[in-house]
Amino acid sequence: MLRQYELLEKIRAYDPDADEAMINRAYVFSMKAHGSQKRASGDPYYSHPIEVAGILTDLHLDDETIVTAILHDTIEDTVATPEEVERLFGPNVARLVDGVTKLSKIEAQSESQRAAENLRKFLLAMSGDIRVLLVKLADRLHNMRTLHFIGSEEKRRRIARETMDIYAPLAERIGMYEFMTEMQTLAFREVEPDAYASISKRLEQLHKGGGDDLIERIGRGLTAHLEASGIEAEVQGRQKHPFSIWRKMAERHVSFEQLSDVMAFRAVVDNVEDCYRTLGIIHQRWPMVPGRFKDFISTPKRNGYRSLHTTIIHDENMRIEIQIRTKGMHAQAEHGLAAHWAYKEGREAAEAEHPWINDLIEILEHAGSPEELLEHTRMAMYQDRIFAFTPKGELIQLPKGATPVDFAYAVHTDLGDQTVGAKVNGRVMPLRTPLDNGDQVEILVSKAQHPQPAWLSFVVTGKARAKIRRFVKSKEREETVALGKKIFDEIVERLPAPLGWEAIAEALKRLNLHDDEALMEAIALKRVDDVAVMEALMPGSALKKGVKPPPQRQAISIKGLTPGVAFQLATCCHPIPGDRIVGLRREGEGIEVHTIGCDQLADGIDADWVDLAWGDESDGGAARLCVVIKNEPGSLAVIAGILGSHGANIVGMEQVSRDGSFHTFNLDIEVHDLQHLMRILAALRATDVVSTAERL
Ligand code: MN
């Protein structure tokens, strides 16, 4: 347990001007207020606020923050009043204590939805002073350190889960990686005890295998190598934390053996120049792993983090990660904003260097619902989050793997619906590109655009998925009804007499359908057949003689199109099922479907090309043939006979040329598919009246 004089010594070491009298007053006030209250550990309660204050002295925080930490539980848990606190410690401390107290009330409510709502209100209220958040995080950290004293497993789990979901992400967001890591490690042990135990055991085995301590040995080697090259570096080695190892295993679906980088080293050097020199020296000595090098010095992370990151294959044939940074960067990386708080004056200075504080406030102000905020603050166990920016600098938070389409829907539903393209950091990129942290995304829109079913294969947010699905579904119904109407019109034409509207109302009753649309849908989906519809419209009509035979229907479906988007089979190449096809889309027009070999595609450079395939059920199409036949009586009859015997209908014929011995015809014939056409062409070529038969 931290003693009063020890706490004072810690503060004095970095802040000789601290108000020691106020700190002593706070110590006595807190001790008296908590009286004989005890912690689950059996320690007197007041040891807890003192320990919290101690954690904050490690961050070199100012005396007001330290006093707030000492007093942080007095309002909530004792008879002390805010007025007393204000009278004894001044308005600043009173305001800070009030802030922490409000946040503590949230902890009492276990239901996550309400917790998030209150958290939001609280964070808004405290956004004027980030020190409240620092005290709260230190409070939570100490509670996590003493979590194992709590008897109830259920309570331990709830607290650990809450830490994982809300507090560790908050610590990360403000760059306090040390807090974050410790919270995650402690929470992970509670939430996933088996995973924690097995990973810890594997780590132990790994180190035993190398004889003496592997990390130390590699670290010594690194130091010596840098020294020989004239760089003085403080090299620290560490094993990655069980939670981060576990998260990597879960994210990348790899086993412990495949996960090679379980060790990380850090070289702290004097200045930026040495950072790059160190990098060069290391890369010359050991091969680097491609794709793992990151320069956060020239491009700092959004929260201000700076370092060089690389991964090398070390002598031990192990991949190890190395971070290279200066002392200043190191202090900031460990303590984030707190480092700035300690070294700079006031919030303005910090804010000027940390635009993300404004972003944080903005997120809180714009989160519409408690669920949405929870989604913002919650860090799922398996996935991290990324931040991307609109051209105006508005911050959009998304799950990892999110694409420009997710981004667009996160900004606004209309924007998502009208997305046709995206510029990421100024470059046009495919819509399926996963976004990176810090990307600036500009969505290109068209009023004529609709959500595309193909997007469903790559969007990751629930919002985007739901909006696309809803649109596709409504379009599908629209199209189904339209198709039903077409078939219905054909059926009506085959009736022996004209039809009145009463007949349809009667038919609906007979078929037990409630409206026209339902009838059209039933027809399209073949829930009722033609005969039943005819009988319902005009009883006895289906049996009458002289009823026209059903026309040949083309059941064309094409994959890759939005249901309901108009398409037409091009008349230049007459695609039929089985052909490889591609779509051309020009603004304001439907899609034109061509065969992949069509000459007209050369004119389609200005259009969007759409990758298409025939639907499984596709059947029927008109193919144009060029047939050269002998000029002799009966030739045409032979051709007609062959086509007839193959079940192909001639729908058009044109004599292109004739000379003494040969006639050339263009024939349009209806066939089922490409195979059907090939058989017909072969049969034509086999007869002696045909000189050549080709598809045009
Ligand atoms: Mn507390």
Side-chain angles (χ1 to χ4, degrees):
M1 193 178 104
L2 199 62
R3 308 264 162 199
Q4 186 174 7
Y5 71 91
E6 288 169 329
L7 182 65
L8 276 176
E9 259 169 28
K10 274 173 164 258
I11 299 163
R12 239 180 254 138
Y14 65 84
D15 185 6
D17 300 329
D19 186 343
E20 290 187 20
M22 178 169 72
I23 294 165
N24 284 328
R25 259 199 329 273
Y27 190 96
V28 173
F29 184 86
S30 174
M31 199 167 76
K32 276 190 181 159
H34 288 294
S36 59
Q37 288 174 353
K38 289 255 193 300
R39 297 272 290 173
S41 59
D43 286 337
Y45 193 93
Y46 70 85
S47 67
H48 160 69
I50 305 304
E51 292 289 343
V52 173
I55 291 171
L56 291 169
T57 60
D58 293 340
L59 304 181
H60 294 194
L61 287 170
D62 67 322
D63 44 17
E64 285 181 350
T65 313
I66 302 300
V67 167
T68 302
I70 298 172
L71 301 176
H72 81 268
D73 278 332
T74 54
I75 304 292
E76 179 74 357
D77 295 343
T78 77
V79 293
T81 65
E83 291 73 32
E84 257 178 300
V85 171
E86 177 154 7
R87 185 163 43 80
L88 286 166
F89 304 98
N92 281 350
V93 170
R95 186 173 47 78
L96 293 173
V97 172
D98 182 52
V100 184
T101 305
K102 280 182 189 152
L103 190 50
S104 300
K105 281 183 183 158
I106 292 158
E107 282 180 316
Q109 302 172 356
S110 58
E111 208 207 330
S112 60
Q113 190 180 321
R114 293 190 61 187
E117 187 176 13
N118 284 324
L119 179 64
R120 169 176 168 221
K121 280 184 196 147
F122 169 78
L123 286 170
L124 268 177
M126 76 88 218
S127 58
D129 203 322
I130 199 88
R131 290 177 292 176
V132 172
L133 188 56
L134 296 176
V135 174
K136 189 64 228 173
L137 290 173
D139 175 37
R140 177 51 69 125
L141 180 59
H142 184 248
N143 285 336
M144 287 305 295
R145 284 180 184 170
T146 52
L147 187 67
H148 57 281
F149 288 117
I150 291 176
S152 152
E153 186 187 320
E154 196 203 322
K155 191 174 175 193
R156 286 202 310 270
R157 289 223 165 177
R158 181 178 62 73
I159 293 172
R161 169 64 57 192
E162 201 177 49
T163 301
M164 202 66 117
D165 284 348
I166 292 172
Y167 292 99
L170 276 176
E172 182 186 23
R173 196 105 326 134
I174 62 174
M176 300 179 70
Y177 292 112
E178 222 177 20
F179 270 34
M180 176 198 77
T181 308
E182 193 178 345
M183 284 184 189
Q184 283 174 343
T185 303
L186 293 165
F188 174 52
R189 193 160 68 184
E190 190 58 48
V191 176
E192 301 280 350
D194 296 341
Y196 179 84
S198 69
I199 289 173
S200 302
K201 200 170 141 205
R202 302 298 285 274
L203 286 172
E204 228 169 78
Q205 285 167 349
L206 180 77
H207 295 296
K208 270 188 201 147
D212 64 343
D213 191 314
L214 192 57
I215 291 178
E216 228 172 78
R217 188 147 41 91
I218 294 177
R220 275 200 306 273
L222 273 172
T223 312
H225 184 68
L226 289 175
E227 220 168 63
S229 313
I231 297 264
E232 219 176 283
E234 196 187 311
V235 175
Q236 301 154 342
R238 66 186 168 89
Q239 169 183 290
K240 294 260 180 90
H241 300 277
F243 175 70
S244 80
I245 291 175
W246 185 70
R247 187 162 55 171
K248 258 186 203 148
M249 287 166 66
E251 256 173 25
R252 298 192 198 150
H253 306 283
V254 296
S255 66
F256 190 86
E257 284 80 7
Q258 292 168 290
L259 188 78
S260 35
D261 47 347
V262 292
M263 277 180 285
F265 289 83
R266 182 179 297 138
V268 179
V269 297
D270 287 331
N271 51 51
V272 173
E273 215 166 81
D274 279 356
C275 289
Y276 289 101
R277 278 181 60 210
T278 302
L279 179 78
I281 291 162
I282 289 173
H283 280 183
Q284 272 173 30
R285 171 68 180 78
W286 293 282
M288 68 177 279
V289 177
R292 294 293 298 269
F293 169 64
K294 293 205 176 78
D295 184 346
F296 294 120
I297 291 179
S298 69
T299 318
K301 284 193 188 177
R302 187 74 184 160
N303 62 15
Y305 175 88
R306 296 193 302 159
S307 273
L308 299 177
H309 286 192
T310 188
T311 301
I312 57 165
I313 300 168
H314 195 259
D315 306 342
E316 314 277 343
N317 204 20
M318 291 205 65
R319 290 174 178 216
I320 61 173
E321 190 185 293
I322 301 179
Q323 302 168 349
I324 304 162
R325 51 172 79 144
T326 65
K327 291 187 178 85
M329 293 174 197
H330 182 56
Q332 197 191 327
E334 292 300 293
H335 303 316
L337 181 69
H340 270 263
W341 194 264
Y343 301 135
K344 308 243 177 208
E345 292 306 311
R347 183 185 170 198
E348 284 80 359
E351 199 170 275
E353 286 193 27
H354 295 275
W356 56 265
I357 290 182
N358 286 328
D359 295 338
L360 178 65
I361 295 168
E362 202 167 311
I363 293 174
L364 297 167
E365 278 169 353
H366 285 92
S369 62
E371 294 85 342
E372 201 181 320
L373 183 84
L374 190 65
E375 199 183 303
H376 282 311
T377 48
R378 175 186 290 267
M379 182 186 64
M381 295 285 272
Y382 298 100
Q383 61 178 21
D384 221 324
R385 315 220 124 228
I386 58 157
F387 288 105
F389 298 88
T390 68
K392 283 182 190 155
E394 201 187 328
L395 187 72
I396 304 297
Q397 196 178 182
L398 296 161
K400 205 166 162 185
T403 62
V405 174
D406 293 292
F407 177 91
Y409 275 106
V411 173
H412 199 276
T413 300
D414 289 349
L415 189 66
D417 286 348
Q418 296 176 4
T419 299
V420 288
K423 276 187 184 172
V424 179
N425 301 325
R427 281 179 55 208
V428 175
M429 298 293 277
L431 286 175
R432 57 171 64 247
T433 313
L435 296 174
D436 274 329
N437 235 336
D439 278 346
Q440 194 199 57
V441 185
E442 185 187 344
I443 299 296
L444 310 172
V445 296
S446 159
K447 284 230 156 38
Q449 175 70 313
H450 299 295
Q452 303 293 306
W455 294 349
L456 288 171
S457 67
F458 57 76
V459 296
V460 302
T461 53
K463 183 176 180 190
R465 192 167 291 280
K467 297 285 176 192
I468 298 164
R469 281 228 180 93
R470 204 159 96 187
F471 181 86
V472 168
K473 235 181 165 173
S474 78
K475 268 293 172 199
E476 269 171 356
R477 181 172 156 89
E478 224 171 83
E479 198 201 15
T480 307
V481 170
L483 176 65
K485 179 83 175 79
K486 260 189 216 164
I487 300 173
F488 176 80
D489 289 345
E490 286 170 1
I491 293 172
V492 170
E493 258 180 59
R494 283 153 56 200
L495 288 169
L499 203 66
W501 274 107
E502 324 81 82
I504 292 180
E506 283 298 315
L508 287 175
K509 261 186 233 160
R510 287 190 188 109
L511 292 168
N512 199 18
L513 293 164
H514 53 86
D515 62 8
D516 290 10
E517 265 194 16
L519 172 63
M520 301 313 161
E521 204 177 6
I523 292 173
L525 297 175
K526 300 197 170 67
R527 288 198 201 115
V528 293
D529 62 25
D530 297 11
V531 171
V533 175
M534 289 172 86
E535 283 299 304
L537 288 167
M538 204 175 281
S541 62
L543 307 168
K544 271 206 184 122
K545 287 233 164 197
V547 169
K548 294 164 211 154
Q552 201 169 349
R553 253 175 231 145
Q554 292 179 9
I556 297 295
S557 72
I558 289 179
K559 292 177 184 168
L561 285 178
T562 307
V565 162
F567 69 88
Q568 62 188 49
L569 301 179
T571 49
C572 43
C573 50
H574 295 283
I576 56 173
D579 285 332
R580 285 187 58 205
I581 49 174
V582 67
L584 292 186
R585 173 167 50 198
R586 291 188 178 83
E587 222 178 289
E589 294 173 26
I591 289 183
E592 224 173 55
V593 181
H594 292 261
T595 63
I596 198 90
C598 178
D599 292 338
Q600 299 293 316
L601 287 181
D603 300 332
I605 304 291
D606 58 320
D608 287 339
W609 287 42
V610 188
D611 211 5
L612 300 176
W614 296 95
D616 301 329
E617 305 286 308
S618 290
D619 182 37
R624 176 163 290 186
L625 308 184
C626 176
V627 186
V628 180
I629 57 177
K630 284 186 183 154
N631 181 12
E632 57 182 50
S635 293
L636 267 180
V638 172
I639 304 290
I642 290 169
L643 293 174
S645 68
H646 281 84
N649 193 20
I650 304 174
V651 291
M653 187 161 92
E654 184 192 359
Q655 190 164 33
V656 183
S657 71
R658 59 189 297 180
D659 59 28
S661 35
F662 294 102
H663 291 177
T664 304
F665 288 93
N666 282 350
L667 294 177
D668 289 331
I669 60 171
E670 277 180 351
V671 293
H672 292 295
D673 55 21
L674 190 61
Q675 279 193 336
H676 188 204
L677 177 64
M678 290 308 172
R679 284 199 304 275
I680 292 166
L681 281 174
L684 289 174
R685 288 175 190 137
T687 64
D688 56 1
V689 299
V690 171
S691 163
T692 62
E694 299 294 339
R695 183 178 177 198
L696 277 180

